[in-house]
Amino acid sequence: MTPPNDGWYVEPTGGGESPPLATVTPIRRVVFEELPEEPEAVAETASEKAAARRADRAANVSMTALTRRGMSRWELEQILVARDLDPDEVEAELDRLAGVGLIDDAALAETIVRTQHERKGLGRSALVAEMRRRHIDPAQIEESLEQLGDDSELERAKELAHKRAPQLRSLDQTTAKRRLTAFLMRKGYPSSVIRTAVDEALDAGGSAVRFR
């Protein structure tokens, strides 16, 4: 039997020819209402989204910087701090980069020693100054310099001196020696290495360079 539209269903209880007795059974209607989110949950979700946006921003800044050149942890930290990121966010981003090998001060120190010595002819003290400027750990600096032997440093100084000597031919030998010595000092070579390299490069008997 189809329930009437008023929400009540009449259930017959009798049978036969006698008028049926009936009981009235109400139909229960269940209404599901969507409860509002708790204020704490809403605030937590918003906070998580904001934190994710800041983390993405830190990653974008650091990756842009690292595509230009290799950086020490300290150098990249200065860039992130300058972008007004929170200290905790900066530290988290630096840890992330270190964890995937995108910043590695030990590897950077070895690269500086190898490339700056070979390409620019920098000596030990100049290399140390460059790595200190980039705030690389002293222990990592010392370890990276192990690849630079005394013979290697002397040979590189001699190469530089012989290459530079012809540019001093218009000077007298005393002035040429002083300038060549100063040149090698700026490159960061020790005095004993400089003296040997300069004497060999300006030796009148073994050089094609003639001074006035």
Side-chain angles (χ1 to χ4, degrees):
M1 181 175 182
T2 304
N5 292 333
D6 60 1
W8 297 89
Y9 170 58
V10 179
E11 182 179 352
T13 59
E17 297 179 355
S18 300
L21 297 176
T23 58
V24 179
T25 304
I27 299 175
R28 295 182 179 179
R29 295 179 179 179
V30 180
V31 178
F32 295 94
E33 295 184 359
E34 185 175 348
L35 299 177
E37 293 187 40
E38 293 293 333
E40 294 82 359
V42 174
E44 183 177 352
T45 301
S47 176
E48 289 174 352
K49 290 181 178 179
R53 287 195 298 269
R54 291 194 298 269
D56 289 342
R57 179 166 173 260
N60 290 334
V61 171
S62 59
M63 294 308 299
T64 299
L66 289 172
T67 54
R68 300 192 189 104
R69 66 180 179 88
M71 289 189 171
S72 67
R73 184 183 180 102
W74 178 86
E75 288 176 306
L76 192 53
E77 180 182 7
Q78 303 313 299
I79 292 175
L80 292 171
V81 169
R83 295 301 184 92
D84 295 327
L85 293 165
D86 293 339
D88 289 344
E89 296 166 351
V90 171
E91 194 67 20
E93 174 63 6
L94 294 174
D95 289 343
R96 182 187 73 82
L97 294 171
V100 296
L102 290 178
I103 53 173
D104 185 340
D105 283 6
L108 177 62
E110 292 181 359
T111 300
I112 290 173
V113 171
R114 183 175 64 255
T115 58
Q116 298 296 306
H117 180 64
E118 294 176 358
R119 297 177 186 175
K120 293 188 176 182
L122 297 186
R124 186 180 298 268
S125 63
L127 292 169
V128 170
E130 171 65 11
M131 289 185 280
R132 285 177 177 172
R133 182 184 68 80
R134 300 174 75 167
H135 288 247
I136 295 176
D137 185 83
Q140 294 171 332
I141 292 176
E142 288 300 320
E143 186 175 351
S144 68
L145 290 172
E146 292 179 359
Q147 62 182 297
L148 186 63
D150 293 336
D151 292 341
S152 173
E153 195 170 27
L154 176 58
E155 290 305 313
R156 192 68 180 99
K158 287 180 178 180
E159 291 175 7
L160 292 172
H162 279 285
K163 184 177 180 179
R164 187 78 169 185
Q167 302 176 30
L168 307 174
R169 67 181 66 195
S170 63
L171 306 173
D172 62 83
Q173 189 160 0
T174 300
T175 304
K177 185 174 183 177
R178 184 175 66 251
R179 292 196 179 180
L180 188 53
T181 298
F183 168 73
L184 293 176
M185 287 180 65
R186 289 194 298 272
K187 290 289 186 179
Y189 290 96
S191 57
S192 59
V193 169
I194 292 174
R195 185 163 50 251
T196 301
V198 169
D199 288 345
E200 182 177 309
L202 301 182
D203 184 3
S207 174
V209 180
R210 301 185 181 278
F211 301 95
R212 64 180 181 85

